[in-house]
Amino acid sequence: MDHVLTLPLTPSEKKSFLIFFTPLFADIISKAVLAKLTIMLNTAGLKSEFVDNITADEQVSGYGDYCRRLGINNSTTSFANDGTKSFQDFSEKMIQELFTDGLIREKTEEMTWCNCGRVELPSCFLDSLDYGIWRKSLLCKKDGTVKCSICGQPLSSGKEKIYTINFPEVRQIEVLPPIYTDRVNDLAVRIAKHPTIISRRHRTGKKMVLNGEEIVVDTDFRWMSYLGYLGIDKNCHIVTGLSTLNQAVKVVAFNRLIYPNTRVSLVVHPTIKIKDGGQKLSGLRINDFLSLCDSADVARIILAGCIQWRHSESILNSDEMDLISKSASHVKNENWADDGPLSVDKLPNLINRQKIFEWLKCLRNHSSLTKQQMILQRTICH
């Protein structure tokens, strides 16, 4: 059986409900291709044991509860997180093996960093950065001085010992939809061109002993081994958004290096922007959104209506909520179709905004559903 996965997601109920589009999109895909679904959560990267006055364990539990309220609760669905001792032990053992095998190397480099540690990169990269576009959230240029956008302080530089790994250039990564193929290939070339720094000198985090010294390992690199931790050794599809596409490509490259027989493909969903009408959805948290929808099916259909494969951005129009709610009331449990797993490359023609609204129209008109619409309903509804 194939496996559908998310990249590690930060569990939070304080952010917009739109952060739940990724796990829902993954759930829909897993139901279509009849694959196992693992929603991976990132708790190792939390800055403190307490976030929003809630412990990491409570956040994981709460996130899972919201997913279940959203109808993400199949028997083949599981949750995992990178903050557990078992994951940390697995990750550190792999890092030790990579160092022993010579894949992780020690070197001295001229580095640049900020006071808070969010910026930490080779000094030679600074000259090639476009501060208006690249890493806009971390770097800015004011009065000719490069500063950290987080702490607002000028950067410091100096020679430092670092640990790096070289990722292979992965060619012909399977990407759906194809509109992202060129971007993914460009990322693969760029990632392979320079060593990736895996150690952090100016950032707090969990330490481990490597080469006889304590170091902080970059959080993103720690969780890159999660496919191995989950025991995935065949086909898997990683669901990602545009903002995490770079990390997704790194995961593919890392696993090509460590697990060359595992076939990893990427399924990329669009960025969603809200268009508020009579009902204001902007800034709504997941609990308020679910309460407003009043049922898992309505919430799922509203979010699923943003699934588009030809555009990188999708609009969620709040004025469509009433129409969707009325249509969802006509869903009948007997209108299911199960013809076995669908091929992933068939999904764009079956599950998209246009097909969803055609199906909703049939429900409102009490028209007979086509076979494809019954399959669509099976994947969209919980």
Side-chain angles (χ1 to χ4, degrees), residues 132-191:
I133 300 174
W134 195 87
R135 300 298 296 274
K136 185 176 180 181
S137 61
L138 290 183
L139 292 173
C140 61
K141 206 168 190 178
K142 295 181 179 179
D143 301 324
T145 301
V146 181
K147 297 182 179 181
C148 169
S149 299
I150 308 300
C151 63
Q153 298 299 309
L155 306 182
S156 302
S157 298
K159 292 279 188 180
E160 293 194 324
K161 183 165 73 172
I162 58 174
Y163 291 88
T164 67
I165 188 169
N166 286 85
F167 289 125
E169 182 179 329
V170 183
R171 299 181 182 274
Q172 298 180 333
I173 298 175
E174 294 182 50
V175 187
L176 194 70
I179 62 170
Y180 301 112
T181 299
D182 288 345
R183 189 180 305 194
V184 166
N185 288 337
D186 289 344
L187 284 170
V189 170
R190 191 174 73 188
I191 289 168

Side-chain angles (χ1 to χ4, degrees), residues 40 121 130 229 275 285 376:
M40 191 72 188
L121 75 168
D130 183 339
Y229 173 74
K275 180 181 178 181
R285 295 176 180 175
L376 173 66

Side-chain angles (χ1 to χ4, degrees), residues 194-243:
H194 302 285
T196 295
I197 300 172
I198 66 119
S199 59
R200 298 298 174 191
R201 295 280 177 183
H202 303 276
R203 198 176 300 180
T204 58
K206 183 173 173 55
K207 296 181 179 180
M208 67 169 287
V209 177
L210 184 67
N211 194 27
E213 64 171 328
E214 275 195 336
I215 66 167
V216 173
V217 178
D218 180 74
T219 300
D220 284 358
F221 184 73
R222 272 187 178 271
W223 58 247
M224 280 184 194
S225 61
Y226 79 114
L227 269 66
Y229 173 74
L230 296 173
I232 297 172
D233 56 5
K234 293 184 180 178
N235 297 342
C236 71
H237 313 286
I238 295 178
V239 173
T240 179
L242 285 175
S243 63

